[in-house]
Amino acid sequence: MGLLTSKHLAENFIFLLFVVSSASTAEAAVICPDKDPELQNWNPGHNEENRIEIRNGRKLLLSSSGTVHSIHIADGGKLVIKDDVQPIILRTRHILIENGGELHIGSEMCPYQGNVVISLYGRADDGSQPNPYFGRKYIGVSKGGTLEIHGKKKLSWTFLNKTLHPGGMEEGGYYFERSWGHRGVIVHVIDPKTGEVVHSDRFDTYRAKEESIRLAQYLGRVANGMILSVAVNDEGSRNLDDLARKAMTKLGSKHFLHLGFRHPWSFITVKGNPSSSVEDHIEYQGHKGSAVAKVFKLFKAENGELFNVSSTSEWVQDVEWTEWFEKPDKARSKDMEKLSDFKAAHPDKICRQPIDIQAMTLDGANLTTEVFYKSGHDYRFLCHGKDQTGEGCRNYRVRFLCGSSVKPKLTVTIDTNVNSTVLNLVDDVSSWEPGDRIVVASTDYSMYQAEEFQVLPCPSCRPTQVKVEGKAAYLHVGQVIDGVDMRAEVGLLSRNVVVMGEMEGRCYEYGSKLCSFFDFDTFGGHIKIGLDFKATHIEGLELKYMGQQTMGHYPIHFHMAGDVDEKGGYNPPTYVKDVSIHHTFSRCVTIHGSNGLLVKDVVGYDALGHCFFTEDGPEERNTFDHCLGLLVKPSTLLPSDRDSRMCKLITEGAYPGYIPKPRQDCSAVSTFWIANPHNNLINCAAAGSEETGFWFVLHHVPTGPSAGMYSPGYSEHMPMGKFSNNRAHSNYRAGMIIDNGVKTTPASAKDKRPILTLISGRYSPHKDADPLKPREPAIIERFIAYKNQDHGAWLRGGDVWLDNCQFADNGIGLTLASGGTFPHDDGSKQEIKNSLFVGESGNLGTETMDNEIWGPGGLDHRGRTLPIGPNFPIRGIQFYDGPINVQNCTFRKFAALDGRHTSALAFRLNNAWQSCPNNNVTDIHFEDVPITSRVFFGEPGPWFNDLDMDGDKTSVFHDVDGSVSEYPGSYLIKEDNWLIKHPDCIDVPDWRGSICSGHYAQIYIQAYKPANLKMKIIKNDYHNHPLYLEGALSKSTHYQQYQPVITLRKGYTIHWDKTAPEELAIWLINFNKNDWIQVGFCYPRGTTFSILSDIHNRLLKKTYKTGTFYRTSQMEKLEYRYPSKGYYYWDEDTGLLFLKLKAQNEKERFAFCSVKGCERIRIKAVIPKHAGVSDCEAMAYPKYIETPIVEVPMPKKLSSTQLKTKDHLLEVKIETYKKQYFHLKDDFAYIEVDGVRFFLTDEGIQLIVIDGHHGKVVDRVTFKNSILQGIPAQIENYVNNIKDHSIVLVTSKGRFISRGPWTKVLEKLGAGEDFRLKEKMAFVGFKGSFRPVWVKLVTNEDSAKIYQALPIPVVKKMKL
């Protein structure tokens, strides 16, 4: 073979290079779309009339900024944004992608590295022709279109890993703000070593000279070297005496000596160093002028950190623009425009002397106003500008800037001297770059404490740190507090790929009354993806100023796209990932008629309307994974988006005469609005909404374009998707709600509400959404809810089970409401287990004027932000109806104050509905919960009102293992519910409840013709304690339903406040087979009856007759009750119709009714005309009185070794009565303490003294009658020598001396005044500085008895 020449080798080498280069280019083009060699460079220039068509296989590479009218990509056309160039800004009215068109910005394998902004411009009223499907200002993806946006990969959001303090201080920082209600001189004492406020106090030197003296003494006690910040709020001079003035002068003040009425004054000094003082003072300017006195001083902490102390004392005048007014009909422009014309047309809406005026034409063009004053008040104005003349204003509207009266304001701030802060975070944030903007979520009740920051360069920062410009104004928690993860979310707002709307400088009208609700332009851009798109993948994108206050125009909107995952043929499946959506004007991500979409690592911030939104009901299999939403505000679009004001003013779609009820019809704006439960929410955070974090709402049928996509009721029975590791905080109404539906029919005369207003709805998940198949519980795992004003979670449905959840600092931690819509659903099982509830955590919040509620906490009495109101009864779990099961849950830091009824377990306030005896609690743990705060049944007063609704009276739950009450198997009931009490029940006055035993069930009594009666039910063994029920339903219904809890195997009578109903239906609820009660119903004489039994099958919704009742003349024959036959006894003399109500079938454990259906007895009565009131009580008793019998013995109290806490209940029983054996009479008296009985043998009284700290009996003494009568000082001396903080139990025997000087000792023990002792007396008293609620005196002629459980130790509640 011959040798190759050098020329030949060179040619082969060049060819090889060409092949390799071509292959590399092709490969790069596949990965990075802007490397495609077929692309043509495109530099469009700037021309707003240039309509760009990219079609017929044309492929363009945008290489520079440009402005065009619009871009249409179709028929194989392709637009790619070039990377690695100077920032590109593309301005266009819209981009439409369809029929094989493609838009690419980077790719999944080759994320875009440069900076590009697509700016969508245009006004709603600019005369341009909107696309009938997409509208205006959009990127639209239609059939066959492809949208691929892939920005830089950056961490979407993380958590603080260290608490961020106000002012940027390393370990503290402080912000204090006061206005009305905090008058006087306010002093802060600050440690110069740390910058920490060690004490503060207020001295009302306007009200009293004593306060001036106290101020001088306080200043004298402050140690030298401490920093003092002193300022006046409102007024502090009226009773300021020379002693205080001179004390302040000694500290270095020059102006305090001559402080005048309402003078703003601020002062900072170091005690003992007058020369260090700084001071400012100004005279009061009157009720229409601002005035401010401000000082600040720099200090150096022990650790070398510099910090500022600043103090401001001022009078502030707030100003606000009125709404826009059009020219009044009666006004004439000949002699300029007159303010008086506007005031006459709009009374009480315009202030007397506006500060400023703005005018614009009706089509939005700004006008210049020239104001002419007349008599100093009534002034006129001219308009200059478009289409105006010199005589007045034409085709215009106007608004006025009004100032309110001044108000006082005092602020004290301690912060760092450096205008930057280093944030410590959980995850690696090295992908965040200088110039990026981030947001730190609120960790308090107010979502408005979210704060934005800009990232600064920080070469020394670790990967989990970032330096930001500025300092925090609020506390943002960065740690687990009391076992609850309260770390603030930190979200990235900036991305290198931006789609945004170009906005006007102010609001203009393009929808219904928009500018009545918003003072900014809300017509932003939007991205909409429709059916049969070819591919859409969005990641690394920033969306701002997007969305419009019109239906269907949202930042990202999948509209009727069907299945967008593999099921729909999309591979890879469609997704929206790593997207920042902020300052939006309508939602964040909307999924409408689309299924299988992945929404992951998306931040939605400062949005109007539901943020993450599923729309019509058929949306399924969508996944929200690691999404963050915060600062979600009301919107005008749907009733559920609107706040109360919008709800009242926007009534489109309503029937004439509609009167909105905002809290019922609207007021539901939520961060996650889930219209179908079969969607997945994982690792998401709802960090602040005007109403709710997560709301699962039910569409009985699909609405809008989705109508007909499923059968009625389908979504109400659909099993829930995965709900795991989500969190909700800083929401006004609730962290999470499962409840309600939306109205799916248009307004009508029958129901005037517009479509999609909130209505009632019940969630009942079943396998395959088929109610005939087994229940399939909705599982909620690892949910965290804290600092939600009203509820952590309100969950209605059957079955909903929670596991391993955390609730803290909510007004109410959790309410589990039954899903039963009786009788169509015969009950459900709600459950929470392995979870933690914290009443008032160590997250104290920030005291500012944004926090409307600030007051003392329970355990340590420290100031803190509070939910709803200072005296609101904070509750961990709220029992509503049931049945529910609470298992292995811990309650921590629930402590009532004198004036605030905080409790771990409580009941729904003002409850008209039923309370189920199958509400079970077991394995409950209490930590830092005084035993007095474990349970509270309520009492008349604030929040509880009269406590006289039916559910309030019948509250009950079952303490299965005694972990709440110390009595295993007991029932806790309201203390005055004699339907379920028996003689051995033990009262717990601190709980306003009793501990009882028994077999309990319910009857539902439905009354027809009439349906507006008040029912009285009496248990025959406690006939002096009737229970009155108003009924659970509204007065407008055609029947009324009464739902008492009753003791089984007992007799009752039922009476009415008017003539008895002609028809009654009595349902046996929670009756097991052979359970029974006997009831006598009151009817007028001459009434005749037709009585039958039937059974209602809830699944088939059919009712079957099962038997007939026949009249008998023998009461005993009522015992003969057969499945198809029974008897009734009509005692016409007393007016009582007697029936034995006995269950014939077995019942499932958590069902209301039997396995065959709900058993019912129906009574039809023919009542004589003009019959009177059907109240037979006077005739029924004593004839049908029964002797109280304890059917189920009280359980034995847990021993001290079995208790889990040091505090416990002390069981005390006091009883004295006359006893008779045939012809012999005797008296019997004893006192029993925790099972140890002390008998009284002689006539007189016995005292048992118990140590109130430990519950131990320390003394027992008897005083005979001779002592009581002859030497009363002996008992008086004894009581005087009892140690304070002692429980004193007293009983009498025989004909003891019940009058005389000795009785005064009972007053010392808390009995009060003006009591009169009778022959028998039992008394529980207390020797101490306060009177516990359980102090009780019972005195009667024949017997006296007290059974109580007292809290040990006895502790005085701190004042609210």
Side-chain angles (χ1 to χ4, degrees):
M1 177 184 238
L3 294 174
L4 295 173
T5 65
S6 59
K7 179 180 179 182
H8 186 79
L9 286 170
E11 288 174 350
N12 279 285
F13 180 69
I14 292 169
F15 176 76
L16 180 62
L17 283 176
F18 175 76
V19 171
V20 171
S21 175
S22 298
S24 300
T25 302
E27 185 178 343
V30 170
I31 297 174
C32 300
D34 66 329
K35 305 302 182 185
D36 185 348
E38 296 183 9
L39 293 170
Q40 301 173 7
N41 275 328
W42 180 46
N43 298 290
H46 297 278
N47 182 355
E48 291 190 1
E49 301 302 321
N50 192 3
R51 301 170 188 262
I52 305 300
E53 293 284 341
I54 306 175
R55 312 174 69 108
N56 301 321
R58 189 181 180 198
K59 299 180 179 181
L60 298 183
L61 180 66
L62 180 65
S63 305
S64 63
S65 297
T67 300
V68 299
H69 177 278
S70 57
I71 301 174
H72 183 200
I73 312 171
D75 302 328
K78 186 175 184 179
L79 175 61
V80 180
I81 311 298
K82 187 175 182 180
D83 206 347
D84 296 327
V85 295
Q86 292 297 316
I88 293 176
I89 300 175
L90 174 61
R91 298 181 64 248
T92 179
R93 287 180 174 272
H94 64 256
I95 300 174
L96 176 59
I97 311 163
E98 60 181 348
N99 298 329
E102 300 180 19
L103 172 60
H104 293 263
I105 306 175
S107 70
E108 189 167 2
M109 299 296 293
C110 181
Y112 193 87
Q113 298 300 308
N115 291 282
V116 60
V117 176
I118 298 177
S119 184
L120 301 169
Y121 68 87
R123 289 172 56 105
D125 56 359
D126 61 9
S128 62
Q129 186 66 32
N131 182 289
Y133 185 77
F134 292 104
R136 296 184 176 91
K137 287 177 80 169
Y138 63 85
I139 297 176
V141 185
S142 189
K143 183 176 181 179
T146 295
L147 177 62
E148 297 285 348
I149 299 178
H150 303 270
K152 280 184 183 179
K153 294 190 180 299
K154 291 187 173 187
L155 183 72
S156 177
W157 63 279
T158 182
F159 296 99
L160 282 179
N161 204 30
K162 185 176 182 181
T163 297
L164 177 61
H165 295 275
M169 295 287 288
E170 182 73 15
E171 295 296 338
Y174 185 74
Y175 185 82
F176 176 90
E177 189 171 330
R178 286 293 185 270
S179 184
W180 295 116
H182 301 272
R183 177 183 59 205
V185 178
I186 296 179
V187 182
H188 285 77
V189 182
I190 303 162
D191 186 345
K193 297 179 180 179
T194 62
E196 180 184 1
V197 174
V198 295
H199 198 269
S200 64
D201 206 343
R202 179 174 68 90
F203 305 88
D204 191 352
T205 50
Y206 171 84
R207 180 181 59 86
K209 285 196 179 295
E210 290 80 5
E211 288 289 278
S212 184
I213 296 169
R214 194 170 70 86
L215 171 62
Q217 293 171 343
Y218 182 91
L219 295 173
R221 289 194 299 268
V222 175
N224 282 343
M226 299 300 282
I227 302 168
L228 282 168
S229 171
V230 193
V232 171
N233 187 53
D234 190 350
E235 162 34 38
S237 66
R238 180 178 175 183
N239 278 297
L240 194 62
D241 66 3
D242 287 345
L243 187 65
R245 292 179 186 268
K246 291 178 179 177
M248 203 70 70
T249 302
K250 185 178 178 181
L251 291 172
S253 170
K254 297 178 181 178
H255 297 287
F256 198 74
L257 191 65
H258 306 292
L259 187 71
F261 177 73
R262 285 191 165 178
H263 286 189
W265 173 80
S266 291
F267 176 66
I268 296 173
T269 191
V270 176
K271 176 76 180 291
N273 184 8
S275 63
S276 67
S277 303
V278 289
E279 184 178 25
D280 195 13
H281 166 262
I282 190 173
E283 292 188 358
Y284 178 54
Q285 304 297 306
H287 71 282
K288 282 293 182 180
S290 298
V292 58
K294 182 174 183 178
V295 292
F296 64 91
K297 189 171 179 63
L298 184 65
F299 298 90
K300 188 174 184 178
E302 195 172 50
N303 63 3
E305 184 180 21
L306 296 174
F307 65 92
N308 272 317
V309 178
S310 60
S311 172
T312 305
S313 169
E314 60 186 317
W315 287 94
V316 182
Q317 184 179 34
D318 291 333
V319 295
E320 185 177 10
W321 287 103
T322 66
E323 60 188 279
W324 289 96
F325 302 109
E326 294 188 11
K327 182 176 180 177
D329 293 337
K330 296 182 179 180
R332 292 178 294 180
S333 302
K334 188 175 182 180
D335 190 19
M336 297 183 287
E337 308 300 324
K338 297 173 64 178
L339 178 63
S340 57
D341 291 336
F342 285 88
K343 288 182 176 179
H346 306 283
D348 302 323
K349 291 189 176 182
I350 302 172
C351 53
R352 185 165 171 261
Q353 289 182 282
I355 299 170
D356 196 5
I357 182 173
Q358 286 183 348
M360 66 166 58
T361 63
L362 295 179
D363 60 4
N366 292 333
L367 300 174
T368 302
T369 55
E370 184 179 0
V371 178
F372 297 86
Y373 292 86
K374 180 181 179 181
S375 303
H377 299 299
D378 182 18
Y379 61 86
R380 308 181 182 213
F381 59 91
L382 286 174
C383 296
H384 301 289
K386 180 183 176 183
D387 301 328
Q388 302 302 306
T389 68
E391 295 182 348
C393 301
R394 298 182 180 276
N395 301 319
Y396 75 102
R397 57 185 174 187
V398 66
R399 66 176 182 172
F400 304 92
L401 185 66
C402 290
S404 58
S405 296
V406 293
K407 64 180 180 182
K409 181 180 177 183
L410 181 146
T411 57
V412 176
T413 304
I414 304 172
D415 58 16
T416 62
N417 191 44
V418 180
N419 194 32
S420 64
T421 307
V422 174
L423 308 184
N424 292 274
L425 304 166
V426 169
D427 296 298
D428 186 333
V429 291
S430 52
S431 60
W432 294 0
E433 302 171 286
D436 284 349
R437 293 198 65 80
I438 62 173
V439 60
V440 182
S442 169
T443 53
D444 206 344
Y445 293 108
S446 172
M447 69 175 182
Y448 292 99
Q449 290 186 18
E451 298 188 71
E452 290 184 51
F453 299 96
Q454 181 168 312
V455 176
L456 297 175
C458 184
S460 62
C461 284
R462 298 190 299 271
T464 56
Q465 290 181 318
V466 65
K467 180 185 278 189
V468 297
E469 184 179 20
K471 295 171 283 192
Y474 307 103
L475 177 76
H476 299 272
V477 172
Q479 63 193 96
V480 175
I481 297 181
D482 295 313
V484 178
D485 185 353
M486 299 189 189
R487 293 174 298 178
E489 298 83 1
V490 183
L492 177 66
L493 301 180
S494 300
R495 299 281 181 171
N496 66 313
V497 180
V498 180
V499 176
M500 61 179 288
E502 285 190 15
M503 311 308 296
E504 300 293 320
R506 62 180 63 175
C507 179
Y508 64 92
E509 296 287 3
Y510 63 90
S512 177
K513 305 172 183 171
L514 280 177
C515 297
S516 298
F517 310 117
F518 310 111
D519 60 1
F520 49 86
D521 181 8
T522 58
F523 193 73
H526 66 104
I527 298 175
K528 187 172 185 178
I529 297 97
L531 180 65
D532 291 332
F533 64 90
K534 184 177 180 181
T536 295
H537 302 96
I538 300 173
E539 60 183 331
L541 175 65
E542 177 183 350
L543 295 168
K544 64 180 178 180
Y545 311 141
M546 299 288 280
Q548 301 166 7
Q549 285 293 295
T550 53
M551 296 293 288
H553 305 121
Y554 317 118
I556 296 180
H557 179 197
F558 284 83
H559 180 74
M560 304 304 295
D563 297 320
V564 300
D565 54 0
E566 294 95 334
K567 188 174 180 180
Y570 291 93
N571 193 12
T574 312
Y575 60 73
V576 176
K577 299 192 300 186
D578 297 303
V579 174
S580 302
I581 309 171
H582 60 93
H583 299 91
T584 87
F585 308 122
S586 184
R587 318 208 184 291
C588 302
V589 177
T590 294
I591 304 174
H592 184 190
S594 305
N595 311 308
L597 179 66
L598 174 62
V599 181
K600 185 175 182 180
D601 293 314
V602 174
V603 174
Y605 166 63
D606 199 354
L608 301 182
H610 307 304
C611 186
F612 298 95
F613 178 63
T614 60
E615 190 155 346
D616 282 347
E619 300 83 15
E620 296 180 356
R621 297 183 295 101
N622 301 291
T623 296
F624 298 93
D625 185 359
H626 201 249
C627 294
L628 166 64
L630 63 164
L631 204 65
V632 178
K633 305 172 185 175
S635 160
T636 64
L637 293 189
L638 297 178
S640 57
D641 286 308
R642 297 169 191 156
D643 62 16
S644 294
R645 183 166 170 263
M646 294 172 181
C647 193
K648 292 175 182 177
L649 295 178
I650 303 173
T651 57
E652 284 83 356
Y655 195 82
Y658 166 64
I659 300 175
K661 298 178 180 177
R663 295 305 293 174
Q664 295 180 28
D665 300 349
C666 307
S667 301
V669 65
S670 303
T671 305
F672 293 85
W673 180 263
I674 309 299
N676 185 310
H678 192 46
N679 290 286
N680 304 310
L681 291 105
I682 310 164
N683 308 316
C684 292
S689 168
E690 193 83 8
E691 293 292 340
T692 300
F694 301 88
W695 196 318
F696 286 81
V697 71
L698 305 169
H699 284 242
H700 183 66
V701 295
T703 53
S706 305
M709 294 184 70
Y710 59 73
S711 58
Y714 174 82
S715 71
E716 293 149 317
H717 299 299
M718 173 60 70
M720 183 180 283
K722 188 172 184 180
F723 190 94
S724 177
N725 203 37
N726 299 301
R727 49 200 282 127
H729 59 88
S730 311
N731 299 289
Y732 176 76
R733 177 180 286 199
M736 180 180 179
I737 290 178
I738 300 176
D739 200 356
N740 297 101
V742 292
K743 185 171 180 280
T744 57
T745 56
S748 64
K750 185 177 181 180
D751 188 342
K752 297 179 180 180
R753 295 173 295 179
I755 192 169
L756 299 180
T757 52
L758 285 182
I759 60 172
S760 63
R762 297 293 184 270
Y763 181 46
S764 177
H766 288 257
K767 183 177 175 60
D768 299 328
D770 184 347
L772 299 179
K773 292 184 178 180
R775 293 180 180 274
E776 189 166 310
I779 306 296
I780 297 169
E781 298 177 304
R782 298 190 300 278
F783 177 58
I784 298 173
Y786 71 91
K787 293 286 184 183
N788 297 290
Q789 286 264 0
D790 195 340
H791 265 83
W794 168 284
L795 310 177
R796 186 196 294 276
D799 301 347
V800 178
W801 298 358
L802 296 91
D803 189 11
N804 196 18
C805 298
Q806 300 173 359
F807 298 85
D809 295 328
N810 305 291
I812 302 160
L814 173 67
T815 297
L816 293 172
S818 168
T821 50
F822 181 82
H824 303 304
D825 189 342
D826 72 346
S828 58
K829 178 191 173 187
Q830 310 281 67
E831 177 179 281
I832 180 166
K833 61 183 181 181
N834 310 320
S835 295
L836 171 64
F837 293 83
V838 180
E840 294 172 293
S841 78
N843 178 359
L844 303 181
T846 305
E847 184 181 11
T848 72
M849 287 169 55
D850 286 337
N851 291 118
E852 297 179 4
I853 312 301
W854 178 271
L859 279 171
D860 54 14
H861 219 239
R862 292 174 67 188
R864 61 183 299 117
T865 51
L866 295 166
I868 303 180
N871 60 351
F872 181 78
I874 297 169
R875 285 152 281 168
I877 285 183
Q878 173 179 258
F879 292 101
Y880 178 15
D881 44 13
I884 72 169
N885 182 48
V886 184
Q887 180 180 345
N888 190 32
C889 290
T890 297
F891 294 85
R892 187 174 290 156
K893 290 189 175 180
F894 289 87
L897 297 177
D898 183 1
R900 182 195 303 150
H901 296 299
T902 298
S903 61
L905 301 168
F907 299 84
R908 190 182 183 209
L909 305 178
N910 308 303
N911 178 21
W913 198 243
Q914 59 102 1
S915 184
C916 179
N918 289 345
N919 288 325
N920 294 335
V921 300
T922 184
D923 199 15
I924 304 302
H925 310 269
F926 297 100
E927 299 174 4
D928 291 326
V929 178
I931 198 164
T932 53
S933 298
R934 289 186 181 183
V935 182
F936 192 68
F937 280 82
E939 67 177 10
W943 301 103
F944 297 92
N945 295 326
D946 294 328
L947 203 70
D948 62 352
M949 301 186 78
D950 290 5
D952 299 333
K953 300 174 182 179
T954 58
S955 305
V956 59
F957 70 88
H958 186 199
D959 186 8
V960 176
D961 64 346
S963 53
V964 176
S965 66
E966 303 176 7
Y967 291 82
S970 65
Y971 287 82
L972 274 64
I973 70 170
K974 195 167 182 294
E975 61 187 353
D976 57 356
N977 185 359
W978 294 92
L979 292 190
I980 52 178
K981 285 189 81 166
H982 60 65
D984 287 355
C985 292
I986 299 170
D987 293 337
V988 189
D990 285 282
W991 300 349
R992 311 302 191 267
S994 298
I995 303 169
C996 284
S997 59
H999 293 309
Y1000 302 121
Q1002 295 160 280
I1003 51 174
Y1004 287 2
I1005 301 173
Q1006 294 173 341
Y1008 303 77
K1009 303 177 185 179
N1012 59 348
L1013 304 181
K1014 190 173 185 178
M1015 189 184 90
K1016 175 170 64 175
I1017 180 170
I1018 302 172
K1019 186 154 68 96
N1020 292 340
D1021 55 5
Y1022 283 105
H1023 70 283
N1024 290 326
H1025 298 284
L1027 181 69
Y1028 295 91
L1029 299 176
E1030 299 278 353
L1033 308 180
S1034 69
K1035 301 302 181 184
S1036 60
T1037 54
H1038 68 287
Y1039 72 95
Q1040 189 53 266
Q1041 184 164 295
Y1042 311 89
Q1043 305 170 147
V1045 179
I1046 46 85
T1047 306
L1048 292 166
R1049 302 173 183 266
K1050 296 288 183 180
Y1052 301 82
T1053 61
I1054 289 176
H1055 314 265
W1056 311 94
D1057 64 339
K1058 298 175 185 175
T1059 304
E1062 295 179 21
E1063 295 184 24
L1064 284 179
I1066 304 102
W1067 302 79
L1068 307 186
I1069 307 299
N1070 291 308
F1071 277 61
N1072 289 303
K1073 186 176 182 179
N1074 295 323
D1075 284 346
W1076 62 269
I1077 59 171
Q1078 184 170 294
V1079 184
F1081 297 91
C1082 182
Y1083 285 96
R1085 291 190 178 190
T1087 302
T1088 58
F1089 305 97
S1090 171
I1091 307 174
L1092 57 84
S1093 62
D1094 58 26
I1095 196 161
H1096 177 80
N1097 187 308
R1098 67 174 181 86
L1099 297 177
L1100 301 178
K1101 297 186 178 179
K1102 292 183 179 179
T1103 303
Y1104 304 93
K1105 179 181 176 182
T1106 58
T1108 304
F1109 286 77
Y1110 300 92
R1111 183 172 182 175
T1112 177
S1113 59
Q1114 299 173 315
M1115 177 78 85
E1116 296 77 14
K1117 207 166 183 180
L1118 297 183
E1119 298 293 329
Y1120 298 95
R1121 174 73 171 92
Y1122 307 101
S1124 62
K1125 183 179 181 180
Y1127 295 93
Y1128 69 87
Y1129 176 72
W1130 173 223
D1131 182 355
E1132 198 158 5
D1133 291 337
T1134 60
L1136 291 172
L1137 167 73
F1138 285 96
L1139 289 168
K1140 187 167 187 177
L1141 310 179
K1142 185 176 182 180
Q1144 305 297 308
N1145 300 287
E1146 299 288 349
K1147 183 182 79 71
E1148 293 178 346
R1149 185 180 177 194
F1150 289 102
F1152 291 145
C1153 304
S1154 77
V1155 293
K1156 292 188 177 181
C1158 293
E1159 299 183 41
R1160 177 175 62 170
I1161 291 87
R1162 300 192 65 184
I1163 303 172
K1164 290 189 176 181
V1166 179
I1167 300 174
K1169 292 182 178 181
H1170 309 300
V1173 174
S1174 297
D1175 188 341
C1176 307
E1177 181 181 3
M1179 300 297 292
Y1181 304 103
K1183 183 176 181 178
Y1184 292 111
I1185 287 178
E1186 298 174 14
T1187 301
I1189 296 174
V1190 180
E1191 295 278 353
V1192 179
M1194 282 289 292
K1196 184 179 179 181
K1197 187 174 180 287
L1198 293 174
S1199 67
S1200 59
T1201 58
Q1202 294 173 298
L1203 299 179
K1204 301 173 184 177
T1205 59
K1206 291 184 179 180
D1207 58 347
H1208 60 279
L1209 293 175
L1210 182 74
E1211 180 185 288
V1212 299
K1213 296 180 178 180
I1214 306 173
E1215 202 164 359
T1216 175
Y1217 55 89
K1218 294 178 182 178
K1219 201 170 186 180
Q1220 183 169 348
Y1221 295 95
F1222 301 103
H1223 62 286
L1224 299 176
K1225 293 183 179 180
D1226 194 9
D1227 283 290
F1228 186 77
Y1230 70 89
I1231 296 174
E1232 182 178 301
V1233 180
D1234 265 352
V1236 179
R1237 186 167 289 190
F1238 304 91
F1239 290 97
L1240 181 57
T1241 55
D1242 298 319
E1243 289 194 347
I1245 65 170
Q1246 175 179 243
L1247 279 74
I1248 300 289
V1249 181
I1250 301 169
D1251 175 7
H1253 296 287
H1254 304 101
K1256 304 297 183 183
V1257 174
V1258 295
D1259 200 13
R1260 172 194 179 195
V1261 64
T1262 300
F1263 294 94
K1264 297 181 180 180
N1265 277 340
S1266 57
I1267 299 297
L1268 299 178
Q1269 188 171 21
I1271 319 175
Q1274 186 171 330
I1275 186 173
E1276 184 176 348
N1277 291 336
Y1278 178 84
V1279 170
N1280 288 340
N1281 289 322
I1282 293 175
K1283 287 184 177 180
D1284 273 358
H1285 220 78
S1286 294
I1287 301 166
V1288 183
L1289 311 178
V1290 186
T1291 189
S1292 68
K1293 182 180 179 182
R1295 300 181 64 84
F1296 79 111
I1297 304 302
S1298 59
R1299 298 184 183 181
W1302 80 268
T1303 61
K1304 292 290 185 182
V1305 302
L1306 299 181
E1307 293 182 19
K1308 295 181 180 180
L1309 298 175
E1313 300 178 356
D1314 300 326
F1315 60 86
R1316 294 190 62 182
L1317 296 179
K1318 299 179 182 177
E1319 188 168 331
K1320 303 298 176 188
M1321 180 263 292
F1323 177 58
V1324 177
F1326 181 72
K1327 175 79 178 298
S1329 60
F1330 63 101
R1331 185 181 188 274
V1333 69
W1334 40 259
V1335 170
K1336 185 176 183 179
L1337 173 65
V1338 176
T1339 180
N1340 285 302
E1341 296 297 340
D1342 298 320
S1343 64
K1345 173 183 172 181
I1346 297 176
Y1347 281 14
Q1348 281 189 352
L1350 309 182
I1352 300 297
V1354 181
V1355 178
K1356 181 181 180 180
K1357 293 178 183 175
M1358 289 184 281
K1359 286 278 188 183
L1360 177 62

